[in-house]
Amino acid sequence: MNSQTQDKFTLINELARRRGFFWQSYEIYGGASGFVTYGFLGTRLKQNIEKKLRDLFVNKLGILEIEAPIIAPAKVFEASGHVEHFKEPMVECLKCGRRFRADHLLKEKARLSETEVEKLTLEELKNAIERNDVRCPECGGAFGEPKYFLTMFKTSIGPYSEAVGYGRPEAAQNIFVEFRRLYENAREKLPFGVMQIGHALRNEISPRQGLIRLREFTIVDVEFFFDPEEPNCYLLKDLENETLRLVLAESKLRGSEEIVEVTVKEALEKGFIKVPWQAVFMALAKKLLTELGVPAEKQRFIEKLPWERAHYSLQSFDQEVYVDRWGWVEVSGHAYRTDYDLKRHMQFSGVDTRVFKEYEKPVEIEKTVVKPLMAKLGPKFKGETQKIAEILAEMNPEEVEESFKKKGYYMLGEHKILPEYVEIVKCKVTEKGKHFIPHVVEPSFGLDRLVYVTLEYAYHVKDDRVILSFPRDIAPIQVGVYPLVSKDGLPEKAMQVYKMLIDEGFIAEYDEAGSIGRRYARADEAGIPLGITIDYETLKDDTVTIRDRDTWRQVRNKIAVLPELLHKYFRNKIDFEDLGEPLKE
RNA sequence: GCGGCCGUAGUCUAGCCUGGUCUAGGACAUCAGCCUGCCACGCUGACGACCCGGGUUCAAAUCCCGGCGGCCGCACCA
């Protein structure tokens, strides 16, 4: 083994393939980049990490879990903004074949701003490139037609190709799309959260980083809805003294990656994090990673700069973990999505996504409203008039007026509303409460990346032997049962112990192949925390030895007390030393 | 997608330059048997590979072309 020369990524990928954690899919046909198959051990490891996420979010915080389709009608991702934003304009040099982001080139050569460039259509990009005589920065060649590369997987639903569908690039939209019903299921109370664990698809241009970047991967999206006027978080008290290591956007602007370590409380007081719920989820994410075996000093939260943020986000932090090959790698994203998604789905679907909150006392106020003029709307929009009028009446008058001033019309979904269709009037009303769109903070985890960092931090070498020191509550196999030698009735006795443990609900493995040392070594490599060995003394007094994977120490105890002690051990209630009497060498 | 390097059993590798002696050698792992009284012991045996497709040639693991895949760099990563 040349473990000195190979980095951990290589070592882990080899081990993963050899022992059955994961490998590249479709190997017999040459493999396909960006797709992975989990084997027996990997599947279980992943399930156990999922279980931890469920325990944290669903059991402890009362977040509701759903499971929804991967394929969605095009409309969903048009509304979410993904069709518009989830693509990059690219141009290819006709001479050398190199490809570049058209917008990046223009930004540099034509000195256009980020926002200006983003608005350009393909046609405009092409003209701008010609006008500014932008040429290939590598060879000076001319460029071909700019083309979009859409990073969503596109398909058609049913036999009609015009029924376009997309593979979801995130699990979040299912939650926003179903918001009405989910809110009802949650008995119409804020705050509340919904989680979805499932596959997502992103047609990455060149995914070459194993579990770190896949085209099909498992995402854990939690959408937490709250009233922006009451952003306070009832968990804050429990977590306010947890520390967070932050790299703030302002440091990044100075070109520094300086880490400020603050408590959750300070981060909020100093305005580093805008929303209390977001700070709390960040603290929970840190705890989760720590429990997966990543030390706090190998974690940080890095704030995204405005132009790095997703289109829906007002403030974003990436939780990063330091890995051997690439340095800091994102494992979760924490975005303040505000009311962006629900608002967009309201505009596109025409379905009201607002919630109602009753005031303690009704208030009489004078307010400005948009009054739809049915006589004008009717002839124009025919059958849809009623629906349009209802939505218009609920729109924010300032927003509508501003749009009239700026553009001369207002876009309600795909309907163009001209100023003469409505009146903006002041009137006195008694309000019993208010309608509003809840705000959302979203912690979002890449489960495959969690699996990877768990493996990397579990990876240890002791006396030239590989040990995967998984935290005991996520180990794919909990106990190994071994006869010291495979003769004299020891295998039969060991089998009895094995069956008893299975019956008690443990994930156990029986192994009698090869010498005892070899079996211990094999078990260490699969990350099995405990080994139970049946020896000649067992036949006399029903005691067995219990071996610790990480220290190779052994203790001895009665078979009869194993179930209770092991249950406590795997729930982290007792330590290895409490499992029995130390064995004298 | 571009450029460089690369692709031989589950893993690591010999052979490739200089085509034939390759029925492709070794080590580790795995399986079976013996052995084994606590950390990859030993012995015997078994399983198991030239990435795919074309071409050149009497003859291709070896030379050429294309594809697929990998690593590194560029680009990309909402």
PDB file of all heavy atoms in Angstrom, chain B residues 48-59:
ATOM      1  P     G B  48     -13.177 -18.478 -13.751  1.00  0.00           P
ATOM      2  OP1   G B  48     -14.337 -18.579 -14.639  1.00  0.00           O
ATOM      3  OP2   G B  48     -11.985 -19.328 -13.955  1.00  0.00           O
ATOM      4  O5'   G B  48     -12.702 -16.961 -13.712  1.00  0.00           O
ATOM      5  C5'   G B  48     -13.611 -15.925 -13.390  1.00  0.00           C
ATOM      6  C4'   G B  48     -12.856 -14.722 -12.922  1.00  0.00           C
ATOM      7  O4'   G B  48     -12.079 -15.059 -11.750  1.00  0.00           O
ATOM      8  C3'   G B  48     -11.813 -14.207 -13.901  1.00  0.00           C
ATOM      9  O3'   G B  48     -12.409 -13.433 -14.918  1.00  0.00           O
ATOM     10  C2'   G B  48     -10.894 -13.407 -12.979  1.00  0.00           C
ATOM     11  O2'   G B  48     -11.469 -12.163 -12.670  1.00  0.00           O
ATOM     12  C1'   G B  48     -10.905 -14.283 -11.713  1.00  0.00           C
ATOM     13  N9    G B  48      -9.735 -15.162 -11.698  1.00  0.00           N
ATOM     14  C8    G B  48      -9.558 -16.343 -12.367  1.00  0.00           C
ATOM     15  N7    G B  48      -8.383 -16.876 -12.155  1.00  0.00           N
ATOM     16  C5    G B  48      -7.748 -15.990 -11.292  1.00  0.00           C
ATOM     17  C6    G B  48      -6.462 -16.034 -10.725  1.00  0.00           C
ATOM     18  O6    G B  48      -5.575 -16.889 -10.870  1.00  0.00           O
ATOM     19  N1    G B  48      -6.232 -14.924  -9.911  1.00  0.00           N
ATOM     20  C2    G B  48      -7.136 -13.923  -9.677  1.00  0.00           C
ATOM     21  N2    G B  48      -6.732 -12.945  -8.864  1.00  0.00           N
ATOM     22  N3    G B  48      -8.348 -13.872 -10.204  1.00  0.00           N
ATOM     23  C4    G B  48      -8.578 -14.925 -10.997  1.00  0.00           C
ATOM     24  P     A B  49     -11.892 -13.603 -16.396  1.00  0.00           P
ATOM     25  OP1   A B  49     -13.068 -13.561 -17.282  1.00  0.00           O
ATOM     26  OP2   A B  49     -10.928 -14.716 -16.499  1.00  0.00           O
ATOM     27  O5'   A B  49     -11.103 -12.244 -16.567  1.00  0.00           O
ATOM     28  C5'   A B  49     -11.786 -11.002 -16.436  1.00  0.00           C
ATOM     29  C4'   A B  49     -10.826  -9.889 -16.681  1.00  0.00           C
ATOM     30  O4'   A B  49      -9.685 -10.061 -15.828  1.00  0.00           O
ATOM     31  C3'   A B  49     -10.237  -9.850 -18.089  1.00  0.00           C
ATOM     32  O3'   A B  49     -11.110  -9.199 -18.992  1.00  0.00           O
ATOM     33  C2'   A B  49      -8.956  -9.064 -17.867  1.00  0.00           C
ATOM     34  O2'   A B  49      -9.217  -7.676 -17.781  1.00  0.00           O
ATOM     35  C1'   A B  49      -8.537  -9.567 -16.470  1.00  0.00           C
ATOM     36  N9    A B  49      -7.528 -10.643 -16.532  1.00  0.00           N
ATOM     37  C8    A B  49      -7.689 -11.937 -16.921  1.00  0.00           C
ATOM     38  N7    A B  49      -6.588 -12.654 -16.831  1.00  0.00           N
ATOM     39  C5    A B  49      -5.647 -11.753 -16.360  1.00  0.00           C
ATOM     40  C6    A B  49      -4.284 -11.878 -16.062  1.00  0.00           C
ATOM     41  N6    A B  49      -3.594 -13.015 -16.189  1.00  0.00           N
ATOM     42  N1    A B  49      -3.638 -10.780 -15.607  1.00  0.00           N
ATOM     43  C2    A B  49      -4.337  -9.639 -15.466  1.00  0.00           C
ATOM     44  N3    A B  49      -5.611  -9.407 -15.717  1.00  0.00           N
ATOM     45  C4    A B  49      -6.212 -10.511 -16.169  1.00  0.00           C
ATOM     46  P     C B  50     -11.081  -9.528 -20.508  1.00  0.00           P
ATOM     47  OP1   C B  50     -12.150  -8.724 -21.120  1.00  0.00           O
ATOM     48  OP2   C B  50     -11.047 -10.982 -20.641  1.00  0.00           O
ATOM     49  O5'   C B  50      -9.660  -8.974 -20.969  1.00  0.00           O
ATOM     50  C5'   C B  50      -9.579  -7.771 -21.732  1.00  0.00           C
ATOM     51  C4'   C B  50      -8.482  -6.928 -21.169  1.00  0.00           C
ATOM     52  O4'   C B  50      -7.305  -7.741 -21.034  1.00  0.00           O
ATOM     53  C3'   C B  50      -8.087  -5.744 -22.048  1.00  0.00           C
ATOM     54  O3'   C B  50      -7.741  -4.653 -21.193  1.00  0.00           O
ATOM     55  C2'   C B  50      -6.859  -6.249 -22.788  1.00  0.00           C
ATOM     56  O2'   C B  50      -5.983  -5.200 -23.120  1.00  0.00           O
ATOM     57  C1'   C B  50      -6.225  -7.144 -21.722  1.00  0.00           C
ATOM     58  N1    C B  50      -5.371  -8.230 -22.232  1.00  0.00           N
ATOM     59  C2    C B  50      -4.008  -8.188 -21.916  1.00  0.00           C
ATOM     60  O2    C B  50      -3.590  -7.251 -21.257  1.00  0.00           O
ATOM     61  N3    C B  50      -3.210  -9.194 -22.343  1.00  0.00           N
ATOM     62  C4    C B  50      -3.728 -10.200 -23.059  1.00  0.00           C
ATOM     63  N4    C B  50      -2.896 -11.167 -23.440  1.00  0.00           N
ATOM     64  C5    C B  50      -5.122 -10.252 -23.402  1.00  0.00           C
ATOM     65  C6    C B  50      -5.897  -9.249 -22.978  1.00  0.00           C
ATOM     66  P     C B  51      -8.101  -3.183 -21.651  1.00  0.00           P
ATOM     67  OP1   C B  51      -7.603  -3.032 -23.023  1.00  0.00           O
ATOM     68  OP2   C B  51      -7.628  -2.306 -20.562  1.00  0.00           O
ATOM     69  O5'   C B  51      -9.681  -3.115 -21.699  1.00  0.00           O
ATOM     70  C5'   C B  51     -10.476  -3.358 -20.538  1.00  0.00           C
ATOM     71  C4'   C B  51     -11.832  -2.763 -20.746  1.00  0.00           C
ATOM     72  O4'   C B  51     -11.753  -1.331 -20.501  1.00  0.00           O
ATOM     73  C3'   C B  51     -12.369  -2.879 -22.169  1.00  0.00           C
ATOM     74  O3'   C B  51     -13.009  -4.112 -22.382  1.00  0.00           O
ATOM     75  C2'   C B  51     -13.318  -1.703 -22.249  1.00  0.00           C
ATOM     76  O2'   C B  51     -14.540  -1.994 -21.607  1.00  0.00           O
ATOM     77  C1'   C B  51     -12.579  -0.646 -21.415  1.00  0.00           C
ATOM     78  N1    C B  51     -11.733   0.242 -22.237  1.00  0.00           N
ATOM     79  C2    C B  51     -12.345   1.194 -23.061  1.00  0.00           C
ATOM     80  O2    C B  51     -13.576   1.251 -23.087  1.00  0.00           O
ATOM     81  N3    C B  51     -11.574   2.021 -23.811  1.00  0.00           N
ATOM     82  C4    C B  51     -10.250   1.934 -23.745  1.00  0.00           C
ATOM     83  N4    C B  51      -9.540   2.773 -24.492  1.00  0.00           N
ATOM     84  C5    C B  51      -9.605   0.983 -22.913  1.00  0.00           C
ATOM     85  C6    C B  51     -10.361   0.169 -22.179  1.00  0.00           C
ATOM     86  P     C B  52     -13.013  -4.725 -23.859  1.00  0.00           P
ATOM     87  OP1   C B  52     -13.544  -6.097 -23.715  1.00  0.00           O
ATOM     88  OP2   C B  52     -11.703  -4.501 -24.503  1.00  0.00           O
ATOM     89  O5'   C B  52     -14.092  -3.838 -24.618  1.00  0.00           O
ATOM     90  C5'   C B  52     -15.465  -3.875 -24.266  1.00  0.00           C
ATOM     91  C4'   C B  52     -16.242  -2.940 -25.160  1.00  0.00           C
ATOM     92  O4'   C B  52     -15.794  -1.579 -24.920  1.00  0.00           O
ATOM     93  C3'   C B  52     -15.999  -3.134 -26.648  1.00  0.00           C
ATOM     94  O3'   C B  52     -16.794  -4.177 -27.181  1.00  0.00           O
ATOM     95  C2'   C B  52     -16.372  -1.766 -27.211  1.00  0.00           C
ATOM     96  O2'   C B  52     -17.766  -1.599 -27.285  1.00  0.00           O
ATOM     97  C1'   C B  52     -15.810  -0.841 -26.136  1.00  0.00           C
ATOM     98  N1    C B  52     -14.439  -0.377 -26.434  1.00  0.00           N
ATOM     99  C2    C B  52     -14.281   0.661 -27.368  1.00  0.00           C
ATOM    100  O2    C B  52     -15.282   1.130 -27.907  1.00  0.00           O
ATOM    101  N3    C B  52     -13.040   1.114 -27.646  1.00  0.00           N
ATOM    102  C4    C B  52     -11.980   0.576 -27.046  1.00  0.00           C
ATOM    103  N4    C B  52     -10.774   1.060 -27.348  1.00  0.00           N
ATOM    104  C5    C B  52     -12.116  -0.489 -26.098  1.00  0.00           C
ATOM    105  C6    C B  52     -13.343  -0.937 -25.829  1.00  0.00           C
ATOM    106  P     G B  53     -16.230  -4.996 -28.428  1.00  0.00           P
ATOM    107  OP1   G B  53     -17.222  -6.071 -28.684  1.00  0.00           O
ATOM    108  OP2   G B  53     -14.813  -5.343 -28.186  1.00  0.00           O
ATOM    109  O5'   G B  53     -16.280  -3.950 -29.617  1.00  0.00           O
ATOM    110  C5'   G B  53     -17.529  -3.447 -30.052  1.00  0.00           C
ATOM    111  C4'   G B  53     -17.325  -2.404 -31.119  1.00  0.00           C
ATOM    112  O4'   G B  53     -16.688  -1.235 -30.555  1.00  0.00           O
ATOM    113  C3'   G B  53     -16.391  -2.787 -32.249  1.00  0.00           C
ATOM    114  O3'   G B  53     -16.994  -3.662 -33.178  1.00  0.00           O
ATOM    115  C2'   G B  53     -16.058  -1.423 -32.836  1.00  0.00           C
ATOM    116  O2'   G B  53     -17.108  -0.903 -33.601  1.00  0.00           O
ATOM    117  C1'   G B  53     -15.909  -0.589 -31.552  1.00  0.00           C
ATOM    118  N9    G B  53     -14.506  -0.544 -31.118  1.00  0.00           N
ATOM    119  C8    G B  53     -13.882  -1.316 -30.170  1.00  0.00           C
ATOM    120  N7    G B  53     -12.616  -1.017 -30.017  1.00  0.00           N
ATOM    121  C5    G B  53     -12.395   0.016 -30.926  1.00  0.00           C
ATOM    122  C6    G B  53     -11.212   0.739 -31.222  1.00  0.00           C
ATOM    123  O6    G B  53     -10.088   0.628 -30.723  1.00  0.00           O
ATOM    124  N1    G B  53     -11.434   1.698 -32.219  1.00  0.00           N
ATOM    125  C2    G B  53     -12.635   1.910 -32.845  1.00  0.00           C
ATOM    126  N2    G B  53     -12.652   2.867 -33.774  1.00  0.00           N
ATOM    127  N3    G B  53     -13.744   1.241 -32.571  1.00  0.00           N
ATOM    128  C4    G B  53     -13.551   0.320 -31.615  1.00  0.00           C
ATOM    129  P     G B  54     -16.101  -4.360 -34.253  1.00  0.00           P
ATOM    130  OP1   G B  54     -16.974  -5.230 -35.060  1.00  0.00           O
ATOM    131  OP2   G B  54     -14.864  -4.899 -33.645  1.00  0.00           O
ATOM    132  O5'   G B  54     -15.694  -3.062 -35.077  1.00  0.00           O
ATOM    133  C5'   G B  54     -15.403  -3.148 -36.442  1.00  0.00           C
ATOM    134  C4'   G B  54     -14.842  -1.825 -36.901  1.00  0.00           C
ATOM    135  O4'   G B  54     -14.522  -0.972 -35.781  1.00  0.00           O
ATOM    136  C3'   G B  54     -13.528  -1.951 -37.635  1.00  0.00           C
ATOM    137  O3'   G B  54     -13.707  -2.394 -38.961  1.00  0.00           O
ATOM    138  C2'   G B  54     -12.968  -0.541 -37.515  1.00  0.00           C
ATOM    139  O2'   G B  54     -13.607   0.356 -38.387  1.00  0.00           O
ATOM    140  C1'   G B  54     -13.343  -0.223 -36.063  1.00  0.00           C
ATOM    141  N9    G B  54     -12.271  -0.656 -35.150  1.00  0.00           N
ATOM    142  C8    G B  54     -12.327  -1.651 -34.205  1.00  0.00           C
ATOM    143  N7    G B  54     -11.203  -1.802 -33.547  1.00  0.00           N
ATOM    144  C5    G B  54     -10.357  -0.842 -34.100  1.00  0.00           C
ATOM    145  C6    G B  54      -9.004  -0.537 -33.799  1.00  0.00           C
ATOM    146  O6    G B  54      -8.272  -1.053 -32.953  1.00  0.00           O
ATOM    147  N1    G B  54      -8.524   0.500 -34.596  1.00  0.00           N
ATOM    148  C2    G B  54      -9.253   1.150 -35.575  1.00  0.00           C
ATOM    149  N2    G B  54      -8.618   2.103 -36.235  1.00  0.00           N
ATOM    150  N3    G B  54     -10.514   0.863 -35.854  1.00  0.00           N
ATOM    151  C4    G B  54     -11.006  -0.131 -35.084  1.00  0.00           C
ATOM    152  P     G B  55     -12.818  -3.622 -39.431  1.00  0.00           P
ATOM    153  OP1   G B  55     -13.385  -4.105 -40.704  1.00  0.00           O
ATOM    154  OP2   G B  55     -12.630  -4.574 -38.321  1.00  0.00           O
ATOM    155  O5'   G B  55     -11.448  -2.873 -39.724  1.00  0.00           O
ATOM    156  C5'   G B  55     -11.454  -1.764 -40.619  1.00  0.00           C
ATOM    157  C4'   G B  55     -10.195  -0.959 -40.463  1.00  0.00           C
ATOM    158  O4'   G B  55     -10.024  -0.590 -39.073  1.00  0.00           O
ATOM    159  C3'   G B  55      -8.897  -1.689 -40.783  1.00  0.00           C
ATOM    160  O3'   G B  55      -8.676  -1.786 -42.175  1.00  0.00           O
ATOM    161  C2'   G B  55      -7.872  -0.788 -40.084  1.00  0.00           C
ATOM    162  O2'   G B  55      -7.622   0.380 -40.837  1.00  0.00           O
ATOM    163  C1'   G B  55      -8.641  -0.416 -38.812  1.00  0.00           C
ATOM    164  N9    G B  55      -8.252  -1.267 -37.677  1.00  0.00           N
ATOM    165  C8    G B  55      -9.022  -2.213 -37.036  1.00  0.00           C
ATOM    166  N7    G B  55      -8.393  -2.796 -36.045  1.00  0.00           N
ATOM    167  C5    G B  55      -7.134  -2.188 -36.036  1.00  0.00           C
ATOM    168  C6    G B  55      -6.007  -2.403 -35.195  1.00  0.00           C
ATOM    169  O6    G B  55      -5.907  -3.199 -34.249  1.00  0.00           O
ATOM    170  N1    G B  55      -4.944  -1.581 -35.539  1.00  0.00           N
ATOM    171  C2    G B  55      -4.951  -0.665 -36.564  1.00  0.00           C
ATOM    172  N2    G B  55      -3.840   0.031 -36.733  1.00  0.00           N
ATOM    173  N3    G B  55      -5.997  -0.453 -37.351  1.00  0.00           N
ATOM    174  C4    G B  55      -7.035  -1.246 -37.041  1.00  0.00           C
ATOM    175  P     U B  56      -7.946  -3.060 -42.754  1.00  0.00           P
ATOM    176  OP1   U B  56      -8.032  -2.971 -44.230  1.00  0.00           O
ATOM    177  OP2   U B  56      -8.438  -4.265 -42.053  1.00  0.00           O
ATOM    178  O5'   U B  56      -6.444  -2.794 -42.323  1.00  0.00           O
ATOM    179  C5'   U B  56      -5.733  -1.671 -42.839  1.00  0.00           C
ATOM    180  C4'   U B  56      -4.346  -1.632 -42.250  1.00  0.00           C
ATOM    181  O4'   U B  56      -4.445  -1.381 -40.829  1.00  0.00           O
ATOM    182  C3'   U B  56      -3.575  -2.955 -42.335  1.00  0.00           C
ATOM    183  O3'   U B  56      -2.976  -3.130 -43.605  1.00  0.00           O
ATOM    184  C2'   U B  56      -2.555  -2.778 -41.210  1.00  0.00           C
ATOM    185  O2'   U B  56      -1.490  -1.946 -41.608  1.00  0.00           O
ATOM    186  C1'   U B  56      -3.393  -2.049 -40.154  1.00  0.00           C
ATOM    187  N1    U B  56      -3.999  -2.993 -39.187  1.00  0.00           N
ATOM    188  C2    U B  56      -3.210  -3.409 -38.121  1.00  0.00           C
ATOM    189  O2    U B  56      -2.071  -3.042 -37.977  1.00  0.00           O
ATOM    190  N3    U B  56      -3.815  -4.286 -37.261  1.00  0.00           N
ATOM    191  C4    U B  56      -5.100  -4.773 -37.335  1.00  0.00           C
ATOM    192  O4    U B  56      -5.504  -5.553 -36.475  1.00  0.00           O
ATOM    193  C5    U B  56      -5.853  -4.300 -38.461  1.00  0.00           C
ATOM    194  C6    U B  56      -5.291  -3.449 -39.325  1.00  0.00           C
ATOM    195  P     U B  57      -3.236  -4.523 -44.385  1.00  0.00           P
ATOM    196  OP1   U B  57      -2.576  -4.371 -45.701  1.00  0.00           O
ATOM    197  OP2   U B  57      -4.661  -4.922 -44.293  1.00  0.00           O
ATOM    198  O5'   U B  57      -2.392  -5.541 -43.512  1.00  0.00           O
ATOM    199  C5'   U B  57      -0.991  -5.352 -43.362  1.00  0.00           C
ATOM    200  C4'   U B  57      -0.455  -6.291 -42.326  1.00  0.00           C
ATOM    201  O4'   U B  57      -1.010  -5.927 -41.036  1.00  0.00           O
ATOM    202  C3'   U B  57      -0.874  -7.747 -42.495  1.00  0.00           C
ATOM    203  O3'   U B  57      -0.082  -8.415 -43.457  1.00  0.00           O
ATOM    204  C2'   U B  57      -0.671  -8.282 -41.076  1.00  0.00           C
ATOM    205  O2'   U B  57       0.691  -8.535 -40.820  1.00  0.00           O
ATOM    206  C1'   U B  57      -1.131  -7.088 -40.228  1.00  0.00           C
ATOM    207  N1    U B  57      -2.549  -7.227 -39.814  1.00  0.00           N
ATOM    208  C2    U B  57      -2.787  -7.813 -38.567  1.00  0.00           C
ATOM    209  O2    U B  57      -1.884  -8.181 -37.850  1.00  0.00           O
ATOM    210  N3    U B  57      -4.112  -7.938 -38.238  1.00  0.00           N
ATOM    211  C4    U B  57      -5.194  -7.563 -38.985  1.00  0.00           C
ATOM    212  O4    U B  57      -6.326  -7.748 -38.548  1.00  0.00           O
ATOM    213  C5    U B  57      -4.875  -6.971 -40.250  1.00  0.00           C
ATOM    214  C6    U B  57      -3.585  -6.831 -40.610  1.00  0.00           C
ATOM    215  P     C B  58      -0.841  -9.410 -44.466  1.00  0.00           P
ATOM    216  OP1   C B  58       0.167  -9.791 -45.480  1.00  0.00           O
ATOM    217  OP2   C B  58      -2.150  -8.844 -44.890  1.00  0.00           O
ATOM    218  O5'   C B  58      -1.143 -10.670 -43.546  1.00  0.00           O
ATOM    219  C5'   C B  58      -2.005 -11.714 -44.007  1.00  0.00           C
ATOM    220  C4'   C B  58      -1.934 -12.864 -43.049  1.00  0.00           C
ATOM    221  O4'   C B  58      -0.606 -13.435 -43.074  1.00  0.00           O
ATOM    222  C3'   C B  58      -2.134 -12.489 -41.589  1.00  0.00           C
ATOM    223  O3'   C B  58      -3.504 -12.406 -41.250  1.00  0.00           O
ATOM    224  C2'   C B  58      -1.427 -13.621 -40.861  1.00  0.00           C
ATOM    225  O2'   C B  58      -2.228 -14.788 -40.813  1.00  0.00           O
ATOM    226  C1'   C B  58      -0.231 -13.882 -41.789  1.00  0.00           C
ATOM    227  N1    C B  58       0.978 -13.134 -41.375  1.00  0.00           N
ATOM    228  C2    C B  58       1.685 -13.575 -40.241  1.00  0.00           C
ATOM    229  O2    C B  58       1.261 -14.542 -39.614  1.00  0.00           O
ATOM    230  N3    C B  58       2.795 -12.912 -39.867  1.00  0.00           N
ATOM    231  C4    C B  58       3.226 -11.866 -40.572  1.00  0.00           C
ATOM    232  N4    C B  58       4.324 -11.246 -40.173  1.00  0.00           N
ATOM    233  C5    C B  58       2.525 -11.400 -41.723  1.00  0.00           C
ATOM    234  C6    C B  58       1.412 -12.064 -42.097  1.00  0.00           C
ATOM    235  P     A B  59      -4.037 -11.255 -40.289  1.00  0.00           P
ATOM    236  OP1   A B  59      -5.484 -11.451 -40.064  1.00  0.00           O
ATOM    237  OP2   A B  59      -3.534  -9.985 -40.828  1.00  0.00           O
ATOM    238  O5'   A B  59      -3.275 -11.591 -38.945  1.00  0.00           O
ATOM    239  C5'   A B  59      -3.664 -12.706 -38.155  1.00  0.00           C
ATOM    240  C4'   A B  59      -2.761 -12.856 -36.972  1.00  0.00           C
ATOM    241  O4'   A B  59      -1.389 -12.996 -37.442  1.00  0.00           O
ATOM    242  C3'   A B  59      -2.723 -11.653 -36.049  1.00  0.00           C
ATOM    243  O3'   A B  59      -3.792 -11.686 -35.133  1.00  0.00           O
ATOM    244  C2'   A B  59      -1.364 -11.825 -35.369  1.00  0.00           C
ATOM    245  O2'   A B  59      -1.429 -12.777 -34.325  1.00  0.00           O
ATOM    246  C1'   A B  59      -0.520 -12.406 -36.501  1.00  0.00           C
ATOM    247  N9    A B  59       0.287 -11.388 -37.190  1.00  0.00           N
ATOM    248  C8    A B  59       0.034 -10.766 -38.392  1.00  0.00           C
ATOM    249  N7    A B  59       0.953  -9.910 -38.751  1.00  0.00           N
ATOM    250  C5    A B  59       1.874  -9.964 -37.719  1.00  0.00           C
ATOM    251  C6    A B  59       3.095  -9.292 -37.502  1.00  0.00           C
ATOM    252  N6    A B  59       3.603  -8.393 -38.346  1.00  0.00           N
ATOM    253  N1    A B  59       3.772  -9.564 -36.378  1.00  0.00           N
ATOM    254  C2    A B  59       3.268 -10.465 -35.527  1.00  0.00           C
ATOM    255  N3    A B  59       2.135 -11.168 -35.624  1.00  0.00           N
ATOM    256  C4    A B  59       1.491 -10.868 -36.750  1.00  0.00           C
TER     257        A B  59
END
